[in-house]
């Protein structure tokens, strides 16, 4: 994750400034999540003598923040792409090539799936926060499992779509 964040830096110059900002903040939240989760785990395993509950809460809060930023990023991209796809065409020659139009429509679908996956994960993240925070601790186990399964299936579907089915054709 650190290598990805380092490579991403402040994002590509040609990328929308809102997307760059939200992506950088999401990377920061992700980078802060991992050490907090590891400290919480180490405390539960009696490797560190600290209160694990605080570290679990902090790591879950960073997870939730990362998910919220991912949702904001994806919604912004969906709105931007739909605006481009629906913009009035001034002249026939300025129309988008069919392949570019299909690629943009595929990206819209992918971002919508990312929003749904992140919403399922966000619902679970809030559930794991301390009681008294929104709906924390109120989900029955079957709903926690269902949300996790939905999120995982959406992520697997996106990975298969992004790979273009190459994995299915490889011997």
């Amino acid at each position: 994750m650190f290598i990805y964040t380092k490579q991403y830096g402040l994002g590509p110059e040609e990328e929308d400034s809102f997307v760059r900002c939200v992506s950088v903040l999401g990377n920061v939240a992700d980078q802060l999540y991992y050490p907090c989760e590891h400290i919480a785990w180490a405390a539960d395993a009696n490797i560190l003598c600290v209160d694990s509950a605080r570290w679990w809460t902090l790591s879950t809060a960073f997870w939730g923040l990362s998910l919220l930023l991912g949702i904001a990023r994806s919604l912004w991209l969906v709105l931007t792409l739909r605006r481009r796809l629906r913009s009035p065409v001034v002249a026939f020659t300025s129309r988008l090539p069919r392949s570019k139009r299909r690629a943009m429509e595929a990206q819209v679908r992918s971002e919508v799936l990312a929003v749904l996956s992140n919403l399922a994960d966000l619902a679970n993240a809030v559930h794991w926060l301390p009681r008294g925070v929104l709906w924390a601790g109120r989900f029955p186990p079957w709903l926690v499992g269902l949300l996790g399964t939905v999120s995982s299936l959406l992520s697997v579907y996106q990975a298969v779509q992004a790979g273009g089915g190459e994995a299915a054709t490889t011997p």
Side-chain angles (χ1 to χ4, degrees):
M1 188 65 207
F2 178 73
I3 292 170
Y4 167 77
T5 300
K6 186 177 173 193
Q7 287 173 344
Y8 186 81
L10 297 177
E13 290 294 322
E14 63 274 0
E15 201 171 60
D16 180 276
S17 60
F18 178 79
V19 171
R20 287 175 57 203
C21 181
V22 170
S23 296
V24 167
L25 290 174
N27 287 340
V28 169
D30 289 340
Q31 290 301 323
L32 293 172
Y33 162 81
Y34 289 110
C36 293
E37 183 197 35
H38 284 65
I39 291 170
W41 175 86
D44 283 347
N46 294 321
I47 297 170
L48 295 176
C49 296
V50 296
D51 179 23
S52 70
R54 288 183 179 193
W55 289 101
W56 283 121
T57 299
L58 192 56
S59 69
T60 304
F62 283 129
W63 178 33
L65 177 61
S66 175
L67 292 167
L68 282 170
L69 291 166
I71 291 167
R73 179 190 176 281
S74 290
L75 287 175
W76 180 262
L77 285 172
V78 166
L79 292 174
T80 303
L81 289 168
R82 282 193 174 169
R83 196 175 310 126
R84 284 187 202 159
L85 286 168
R86 292 182 180 160
S87 67
V89 179
V90 178
F92 181 75
T93 57
S94 68
R95 294 180 92 172
L96 286 172
R98 182 173 285 174
S99 61
K100 180 146 177 127
R101 185 174 207 44
R102 284 187 179 155
M104 289 173 73
E105 289 168 347
Q107 187 179 0
V108 168
R109 285 190 299 273
S110 177
E111 295 299 336
V112 168
L113 292 175
V115 167
L116 294 174
S117 177
N118 284 344
L119 284 171
D121 283 338
L122 182 62
N124 266 342
V126 171
H127 169 77
W128 292 110
L129 287 170
R131 285 198 175 274
V133 178
L134 300 175
W135 57 84
R138 296 187 184 158
F139 287 170
W142 67 266
L143 184 55
V144 173
L146 177 65
L147 289 169
T149 301
V150 166
S151 172
S152 295
L153 288 175
L154 288 171
S155 296
V156 167
Y157 177 77
Q158 282 183 283
V160 169
Q161 290 297 101
E166 293 171 16
T169 60
T170 305

